Amino acid sequence: MAGAGAGSGAGPAAGGRRYDPERRQRIIDAAIRVVGAKGIAGLSHRSVAAEADVPLGSTTYHFKTLDELLVAALRQANQAFTVTLPAAPAGDVAGSLARLLGRLLAADRGRVELEYELYLAALRRPALRPVAAEWYEAVATALAPWTDPVTARALVAVMDGICLQVLLTDAPYDEPYAREVLARVLRQD
């Protein structure tokens, strides 16, 4: 029966397999939402498939392992952070960085918690370490115009420490304290 499938909806686009160029990105976005809601311990191919509203096989097709999925999620979180760094200020670098930290923590604390959870997952998941190192280097490179490269790396370490203290203790962000500590690193008292 030639032409039996014509007009009947049969074919690759109709029966289950459809070309979906956005599916991989939806899976990454869903993984980020799952980690944000349940932590990395709650991440599984099944939980991501349910969140993305895709078949389970789609998650394993695009990401063979959870580490591959976490690498993609961490890369996406890295890109979101680095685009928020403004151009180097002309004057008070410590004050500008302290204000930037305050804005990051105030804008979406949940997002900052998620980014640090993904970043710190590299402690137990070696596959994430290169991506965590890329993030660290990208931020240090973005801060280098504000100062010299060695001091930029020290600033990243101090800013990470301040953010983690705020996140872990539920203490309010103390901008004058952050400015003072950053000024000491910059030797701008």
Side-chain angles (χ1 to χ4, degrees), residues 140-186:
T141 299
L143 289 176
W146 298 45
T147 184
D148 62 274
V150 172
T151 305
R153 291 174 66 86
L155 289 171
V156 175
V158 169
M159 293 167 67
D160 275 344
I162 291 170
C163 284
L164 284 171
Q165 286 174 354
V166 170
L167 295 173
L168 294 173
T169 64
D170 285 329
Y173 175 67
D174 184 347
E175 188 174 309
Y177 165 77
R179 190 216 171 277
E180 181 179 333
V181 171
L182 292 166
R184 288 181 185 192
V185 171
L186 290 161

Short mmCIF file of all heavy atoms in Angstrom, two decimals, residues 140-186:
data_model
loop_
_atom_site.label_atom_id
_atom_site.label_comp_id
_atom_site.label_asym_id
_atom_site.label_seq_id
_atom_site.Cartn_x
_atom_site.Cartn_y
_atom_site.Cartn_z
N ALA A 140 39.01 34.93 38.39
CA ALA A 140 40.30 35.59 38.63
C ALA A 140 40.71 36.42 37.41
O ALA A 140 41.19 37.55 37.55
CB ALA A 140 41.37 34.56 38.97
N THR A 141 40.48 35.88 36.22
CA THR A 141 40.79 36.62 34.99
C THR A 141 39.91 37.86 34.87
O THR A 141 40.38 38.93 34.47
CB THR A 141 40.62 35.70 33.76
OG1 THR A 141 41.54 34.62 33.89
CG2 THR A 141 40.88 36.45 32.47
N ALA A 142 38.63 37.73 35.22
CA ALA A 142 37.72 38.88 35.16
C ALA A 142 38.11 39.96 36.16
O ALA A 142 37.90 41.14 35.92
CB ALA A 142 36.29 38.42 35.41
N LEU A 143 38.69 39.54 37.29
CA LEU A 143 39.12 40.51 38.31
C LEU A 143 40.51 41.07 38.04
O LEU A 143 40.88 42.09 38.64
CB LEU A 143 39.09 39.86 39.70
CG LEU A 143 37.72 39.58 40.28
CD1 LEU A 143 37.85 38.86 41.62
CD2 LEU A 143 36.91 40.86 40.44
N ALA A 144 41.29 40.45 37.18
CA ALA A 144 42.66 40.91 36.93
C ALA A 144 42.74 42.38 36.50
O ALA A 144 43.65 43.07 36.93
CB ALA A 144 43.35 39.99 35.93
N PRO A 145 41.79 42.88 35.68
CA PRO A 145 41.87 44.30 35.34
C PRO A 145 41.67 45.21 36.55
O PRO A 145 42.03 46.38 36.52
CB PRO A 145 40.74 44.51 34.32
CG PRO A 145 40.46 43.17 33.77
CD PRO A 145 40.78 42.20 34.88
N TRP A 146 41.09 44.68 37.61
CA TRP A 146 40.86 45.47 38.82
C TRP A 146 42.15 45.60 39.63
O TRP A 146 42.26 46.46 40.49
CB TRP A 146 39.81 44.81 39.68
CG TRP A 146 38.44 44.67 39.07
CD1 TRP A 146 38.14 44.26 37.82
CD2 TRP A 146 37.21 44.96 39.71
NE1 TRP A 146 36.78 44.25 37.64
CE2 TRP A 146 36.18 44.67 38.79
CE3 TRP A 146 36.86 45.39 40.98
CZ2 TRP A 146 34.84 44.83 39.08
CZ3 TRP A 146 35.51 45.54 41.28
CH2 TRP A 146 34.52 45.27 40.34
N THR A 147 43.09 44.67 39.40
CA THR A 147 44.32 44.60 40.17
C THR A 147 45.32 43.76 39.39
O THR A 147 45.17 43.58 38.19
CB THR A 147 44.03 44.01 41.58
OG1 THR A 147 45.22 44.03 42.36
CG2 THR A 147 43.45 42.62 41.53
N ASP A 148 46.29 43.15 40.04
CA ASP A 148 47.24 42.26 39.35
C ASP A 148 46.72 40.81 39.44
O ASP A 148 45.86 40.51 40.27
CB ASP A 148 48.64 42.39 39.97
CG ASP A 148 48.65 41.96 41.43
OD1 ASP A 148 48.35 42.80 42.30
OD2 ASP A 148 48.91 40.77 41.68
N PRO A 149 47.24 39.90 38.62
CA PRO A 149 46.73 38.52 38.60
C PRO A 149 46.85 37.77 39.93
O PRO A 149 45.95 37.02 40.29
CB PRO A 149 47.57 37.84 37.51
CG PRO A 149 47.98 38.96 36.60
CD PRO A 149 48.19 40.15 37.50
N VAL A 150 47.94 37.96 40.67
CA VAL A 150 48.10 37.25 41.94
C VAL A 150 47.07 37.75 42.95
O VAL A 150 46.41 36.96 43.64
CB VAL A 150 49.54 37.42 42.48
CG1 VAL A 150 49.66 36.86 43.89
CG2 VAL A 150 50.53 36.74 41.55
N THR A 151 46.90 39.06 43.03
CA THR A 151 45.91 39.62 43.96
C THR A 151 44.50 39.23 43.53
O THR A 151 43.64 38.98 44.38
CB THR A 151 46.07 41.15 44.05
OG1 THR A 151 47.42 41.46 44.40
CG2 THR A 151 45.13 41.75 45.08
N ALA A 152 44.26 39.14 42.23
CA ALA A 152 42.94 38.74 41.74
C ALA A 152 42.59 37.34 42.26
O ALA A 152 41.46 37.09 42.69
CB ALA A 152 42.89 38.77 40.22
N ARG A 153 43.55 36.43 42.25
CA ARG A 153 43.31 35.07 42.76
C ARG A 153 43.02 35.10 44.26
O ARG A 153 42.16 34.39 44.75
CB ARG A 153 44.50 34.17 42.45
CG ARG A 153 44.66 33.88 40.97
CD ARG A 153 45.95 33.11 40.66
NE ARG A 153 45.94 31.79 41.23
CZ ARG A 153 45.41 30.71 40.65
NH1 ARG A 153 44.86 30.82 39.46
NH2 ARG A 153 45.44 29.54 41.25
N ALA A 154 43.75 35.95 44.99
CA ALA A 154 43.50 36.09 46.43
C ALA A 154 42.11 36.68 46.68
O ALA A 154 41.41 36.26 47.61
CB ALA A 154 44.58 36.97 47.07
N LEU A 155 41.69 37.62 45.85
CA LEU A 155 40.35 38.21 45.99
C LEU A 155 39.26 37.15 45.81
O LEU A 155 38.27 37.14 46.53
CB LEU A 155 40.15 39.35 44.99
CG LEU A 155 40.94 40.63 45.27
CD1 LEU A 155 40.83 41.59 44.08
CD2 LEU A 155 40.46 41.29 46.55
N VAL A 156 39.46 36.28 44.82
CA VAL A 156 38.47 35.21 44.60
C VAL A 156 38.37 34.34 45.85
O VAL A 156 37.26 34.02 46.30
CB VAL A 156 38.83 34.35 43.36
CG1 VAL A 156 37.87 33.18 43.23
CG2 VAL A 156 38.81 35.19 42.10
N ALA A 157 39.51 33.99 46.43
CA ALA A 157 39.50 33.15 47.64
C ALA A 157 38.80 33.86 48.79
O ALA A 157 37.97 33.25 49.50
CB ALA A 157 40.94 32.79 48.03
N VAL A 158 39.06 35.13 48.98
CA VAL A 158 38.43 35.88 50.08
C VAL A 158 36.93 36.04 49.82
O VAL A 158 36.11 35.86 50.74
CB VAL A 158 39.13 37.25 50.27
CG1 VAL A 158 38.34 38.14 51.21
CG2 VAL A 158 40.54 37.05 50.79
N MET A 159 36.57 36.37 48.59
CA MET A 159 35.15 36.54 48.28
C MET A 159 34.39 35.22 48.45
O MET A 159 33.28 35.21 48.98
CB MET A 159 34.99 37.11 46.86
CG MET A 159 35.51 38.54 46.75
SD MET A 159 35.71 39.13 45.05
CE MET A 159 34.02 39.21 44.50
N ASP A 160 35.01 34.11 48.03
CA ASP A 160 34.40 32.80 48.26
C ASP A 160 34.20 32.56 49.75
O ASP A 160 33.15 32.09 50.18
CB ASP A 160 35.27 31.67 47.69
CG ASP A 160 35.03 31.41 46.22
OD1 ASP A 160 34.01 31.86 45.69
OD2 ASP A 160 35.89 30.74 45.61
N GLY A 161 35.23 32.86 50.53
CA GLY A 161 35.14 32.66 51.98
C GLY A 161 34.04 33.48 52.61
O GLY A 161 33.27 32.99 53.45
N ILE A 162 33.93 34.74 52.22
CA ILE A 162 32.88 35.60 52.77
C ILE A 162 31.50 35.07 52.39
O ILE A 162 30.60 34.98 53.23
CB ILE A 162 33.08 37.06 52.30
CG1 ILE A 162 34.33 37.66 52.96
CG2 ILE A 162 31.85 37.91 52.61
CD1 ILE A 162 34.76 39.01 52.38
N CYS A 163 31.34 34.70 51.13
CA CYS A 163 30.04 34.16 50.69
C CYS A 163 29.68 32.89 51.45
O CYS A 163 28.55 32.74 51.92
CB CYS A 163 30.05 33.88 49.19
SG CYS A 163 29.90 35.34 48.17
N LEU A 164 30.64 31.99 51.59
CA LEU A 164 30.37 30.75 52.32
C LEU A 164 30.02 31.01 53.77
O LEU A 164 29.13 30.37 54.32
CB LEU A 164 31.55 29.79 52.21
CG LEU A 164 31.68 29.09 50.86
CD1 LEU A 164 33.00 28.34 50.76
CD2 LEU A 164 30.51 28.15 50.62
N GLN A 165 30.70 31.96 54.42
CA GLN A 165 30.36 32.30 55.81
C GLN A 165 28.92 32.78 55.91
O GLN A 165 28.19 32.37 56.81
CB GLN A 165 31.31 33.38 56.34
CG GLN A 165 32.69 32.88 56.64
CD GLN A 165 33.64 34.01 57.04
OE1 GLN A 165 33.30 35.19 56.98
NE2 GLN A 165 34.85 33.64 57.44
N VAL A 166 28.52 33.64 54.99
CA VAL A 166 27.14 34.15 55.01
C VAL A 166 26.16 33.01 54.77
O VAL A 166 25.15 32.87 55.49
CB VAL A 166 26.97 35.27 53.97
CG1 VAL A 166 25.51 35.64 53.79
CG2 VAL A 166 27.78 36.50 54.37
N LEU A 167 26.43 32.17 53.77
CA LEU A 167 25.51 31.09 53.43
C LEU A 167 25.41 30.04 54.53
O LEU A 167 24.33 29.53 54.81
CB LEU A 167 25.93 30.43 52.12
CG LEU A 167 25.85 31.29 50.86
CD1 LEU A 167 26.47 30.57 49.68
CD2 LEU A 167 24.43 31.71 50.56
N LEU A 168 26.54 29.71 55.14
CA LEU A 168 26.54 28.62 56.13
C LEU A 168 26.05 29.04 57.50
O LEU A 168 25.56 28.21 58.26
CB LEU A 168 27.95 28.03 56.24
CG LEU A 168 28.46 27.31 54.99
CD1 LEU A 168 29.91 26.91 55.15
CD2 LEU A 168 27.60 26.11 54.67
N THR A 169 26.18 30.31 57.83
CA THR A 169 25.79 30.76 59.17
C THR A 169 24.45 31.48 59.18
O THR A 169 23.95 31.82 60.26
CB THR A 169 26.85 31.71 59.76
OG1 THR A 169 26.92 32.90 58.95
CG2 THR A 169 28.21 31.04 59.84
N ASP A 170 23.89 31.73 58.01
CA ASP A 170 22.66 32.52 57.88
C ASP A 170 22.82 33.92 58.46
O ASP A 170 21.85 34.59 58.80
CB ASP A 170 21.45 31.83 58.54
CG ASP A 170 20.94 30.68 57.69
OD1 ASP A 170 21.06 30.76 56.45
OD2 ASP A 170 20.44 29.70 58.27
N ALA A 171 24.07 34.36 58.60
CA ALA A 171 24.34 35.71 59.07
C ALA A 171 24.02 36.69 57.95
O ALA A 171 24.18 36.36 56.77
CB ALA A 171 25.80 35.84 59.49
N PRO A 172 23.58 37.88 58.32
CA PRO A 172 23.37 38.88 57.26
C PRO A 172 24.72 39.30 56.66
O PRO A 172 25.75 39.27 57.34
CB PRO A 172 22.70 40.05 57.99
CG PRO A 172 23.00 39.85 59.42
CD PRO A 172 23.24 38.38 59.64
N TYR A 173 24.70 39.66 55.42
CA TYR A 173 25.92 40.10 54.76
C TYR A 173 26.34 41.43 55.36
O TYR A 173 25.54 42.35 55.50
CB TYR A 173 25.67 40.25 53.25
CG TYR A 173 26.86 40.82 52.52
CD1 TYR A 173 28.04 40.11 52.42
CD2 TYR A 173 26.80 42.07 51.94
CE1 TYR A 173 29.14 40.62 51.75
CE2 TYR A 173 27.88 42.60 51.27
CZ TYR A 173 29.06 41.87 51.18
OH TYR A 173 30.14 42.39 50.52
N ASP A 174 27.60 41.54 55.73
CA ASP A 174 28.16 42.73 56.36
C ASP A 174 29.09 43.41 55.36
O ASP A 174 30.28 43.09 55.28
CB ASP A 174 28.91 42.32 57.63
CG ASP A 174 29.44 43.48 58.44
OD1 ASP A 174 29.47 44.62 57.92
OD2 ASP A 174 29.84 43.25 59.58
N GLU A 175 28.55 44.35 54.60
CA GLU A 175 29.33 45.01 53.55
C GLU A 175 30.56 45.76 54.08
O GLU A 175 31.64 45.66 53.49
CB GLU A 175 28.45 45.94 52.73
CG GLU A 175 29.16 46.49 51.51
CD GLU A 175 28.24 47.29 50.60
OE1 GLU A 175 27.17 46.79 50.24
OE2 GLU A 175 28.64 48.42 50.26
N PRO A 176 30.45 46.51 55.20
CA PRO A 176 31.66 47.18 55.70
C PRO A 176 32.77 46.20 56.07
O PRO A 176 33.95 46.45 55.80
CB PRO A 176 31.16 47.95 56.93
CG PRO A 176 29.71 48.18 56.66
CD PRO A 176 29.25 46.95 55.92
N TYR A 177 32.40 45.07 56.67
CA TYR A 177 33.40 44.03 56.99
C TYR A 177 34.05 43.52 55.71
O TYR A 177 35.28 43.40 55.61
CB TYR A 177 32.75 42.89 57.76
CG TYR A 177 33.59 41.64 57.82
CD1 TYR A 177 34.68 41.54 58.69
CD2 TYR A 177 33.32 40.56 56.98
CE1 TYR A 177 35.47 40.40 58.72
CE2 TYR A 177 34.11 39.41 57.01
CZ TYR A 177 35.18 39.33 57.88
OH TYR A 177 35.96 38.21 57.91
N ALA A 178 33.23 43.20 54.70
CA ALA A 178 33.76 42.69 53.44
C ALA A 178 34.69 43.71 52.79
O ALA A 178 35.76 43.36 52.30
CB ALA A 178 32.62 42.33 52.48
N ARG A 179 34.30 44.97 52.82
CA ARG A 179 35.13 46.02 52.24
C ARG A 179 36.47 46.08 52.96
O ARG A 179 37.53 46.19 52.33
CB ARG A 179 34.44 47.37 52.30
CG ARG A 179 35.19 48.42 51.48
CD ARG A 179 35.16 49.81 52.11
NE ARG A 179 36.05 50.68 51.40
CZ ARG A 179 37.37 50.76 51.62
NH1 ARG A 179 37.95 50.00 52.51
NH2 ARG A 179 38.12 51.60 50.94
N GLU A 180 36.46 46.01 54.29
CA GLU A 180 37.70 46.08 55.06
C GLU A 180 38.63 44.91 54.74
O GLU A 180 39.83 45.08 54.53
CB GLU A 180 37.41 46.12 56.56
CG GLU A 180 38.66 46.22 57.41
CD GLU A 180 38.37 46.28 58.89
OE1 GLU A 180 37.28 46.73 59.28
OE2 GLU A 180 39.25 45.85 59.66
N VAL A 181 38.08 43.71 54.69
CA VAL A 181 38.89 42.53 54.40
C VAL A 181 39.45 42.61 52.98
O VAL A 181 40.64 42.34 52.75
CB VAL A 181 38.07 41.23 54.61
CG1 VAL A 181 38.82 40.01 54.11
CG2 VAL A 181 37.70 41.07 56.07
N LEU A 182 38.62 42.98 52.03
CA LEU A 182 39.07 43.09 50.64
C LEU A 182 40.13 44.19 50.50
O LEU A 182 41.10 44.03 49.75
CB LEU A 182 37.89 43.34 49.71
CG LEU A 182 36.92 42.16 49.57
CD1 LEU A 182 35.63 42.61 48.93
CD2 LEU A 182 37.56 41.02 48.80
N ALA A 183 39.96 45.29 51.23
CA ALA A 183 40.96 46.37 51.20
C ALA A 183 42.30 45.89 51.73
O ALA A 183 43.35 46.26 51.22
CB ALA A 183 40.46 47.57 52.00
N ARG A 184 42.27 45.03 52.73
CA ARG A 184 43.52 44.49 53.27
C ARG A 184 44.23 43.64 52.23
O ARG A 184 45.45 43.67 52.09
CB ARG A 184 43.27 43.69 54.53
CG ARG A 184 42.90 44.58 55.69
CD ARG A 184 42.68 43.78 56.95
NE ARG A 184 42.21 44.65 58.03
CZ ARG A 184 42.14 44.28 59.29
NH1 ARG A 184 42.49 43.07 59.65
NH2 ARG A 184 41.69 45.13 60.19
N VAL A 185 43.45 42.84 51.48
CA VAL A 185 44.05 42.03 50.41
C VAL A 185 44.64 42.95 49.34
O VAL A 185 45.72 42.69 48.81
CB VAL A 185 43.01 41.06 49.80
CG1 VAL A 185 43.57 40.37 48.56
CG2 VAL A 185 42.57 40.04 50.82
N LEU A 186 43.93 44.02 49.06
CA LEU A 186 44.37 44.96 48.04
C LEU A 186 45.41 45.95 48.57
O LEU A 186 45.93 46.77 47.81
CB LEU A 186 43.17 45.75 47.51
CG LEU A 186 42.20 44.95 46.66
CD1 LEU A 186 40.84 45.64 46.57
CD2 LEU A 186 42.78 44.73 45.27
#
